[in-house]
Amino acid sequence: HELVPGLDVKLYTVLLLSFFAILNLMGISESGSVALIIFTVHFLTLSLLCCFSLLYLCRNGLGQLQHNWNGYRPEEELLPDGNPGFVQRGFWTSIFFGYGTAMLGVSGFESSSQFIEEQAAGVFPKTLDNMWTAIAFFNPLVMFLAISIFPLPDIARVH
């Protein structure tokens, strides 16, 4: 892996999946305490990512954000075959698509419906309110930090 050169990604992926398979076999698949631990780790990871990204911005400034905000001209980034590497849609269109895509990966909405039958009356709307609160905070912040740190063509190449 690029971050840890000696890390065997396939091995650790199998180990992680095995760990969750064992948890499932033990009957902990729908445990509230396991869900709380996963949520806490996820929340702490996002918080650390945001803190270190803000620290990076404090040290390096907002030059990349300004460059991304002004937009790239396709001729600036050419692939080896001479085609533009970045399709310019406009900044606000990119914000819209980025926020919509982020809703799929961060929210947890897809798993909340599994527990609706097990919740007492009136609890599910509170659960949705809590998820919307977290999403409304983290999604725009992570998106802002990403476009403040990474060049847009690099983000476009990854996806």
Side-chain angles (χ1 to χ4, degrees):
H1 193 269
E2 294 176 9
L3 296 177
V4 183
L7 182 71
D8 184 5
V9 176
K10 291 180 183 178
L11 172 67
Y12 284 100
T13 301
V14 170
L15 290 175
L16 182 65
L17 290 173
S18 300
F19 172 72
F20 283 110
I22 291 169
L23 281 179
N24 194 10
L25 290 173
M26 292 173 46
I28 304 180
S29 63
E30 296 183 12
S31 169
S33 59
V34 172
L36 179 63
I37 290 169
I38 291 171
F39 169 76
T40 304
V41 168
H42 191 166
F43 185 81
L44 289 175
T45 302
L46 282 172
S47 298
L48 280 173
L49 175 69
C50 291
C51 288
F52 282 110
S53 297
L54 288 169
L55 179 65
Y56 177 88
L57 288 178
C58 288
R59 290 183 176 175
N60 296 302
L62 295 173
Q64 187 61 54
L65 175 65
Q66 183 179 9
H67 192 58
N68 287 340
W69 187 278
N70 293 331
Y72 284 94
R73 289 181 297 284
E75 61 271 10
E76 287 182 11
E77 293 288 330
L78 296 178
L79 297 174
D81 61 2
N83 291 321
F86 178 72
V87 178
Q88 185 175 3
R89 293 184 185 137
F91 186 80
W92 292 109
T93 304
S94 297
I95 294 287
F96 173 76
F97 285 124
Y99 190 79
T101 304
M103 294 290 277
L104 298 173
V106 179
S107 63
F109 282 114
E110 67 281 353
S111 61
S112 65
S113 62
Q114 297 172 359
F115 302 106
I116 192 168
E117 296 88 11
E118 301 172 12
Q119 294 178 351
V123 173
F124 190 66
K126 293 177 184 177
T127 303
L128 289 177
D129 287 344
N130 290 337
M131 284 193 290
W132 271 108
T133 302
I135 290 167
F137 174 74
F138 275 114
N139 282 3
L141 180 60
V142 169
M143 184 175 42
F144 171 78
L145 293 171
I147 62 173
S148 298
I149 294 173
F150 301 108
L152 286 179
D154 289 352
I155 295 172
R157 271 191 216 104
V158 171
H159 297 294

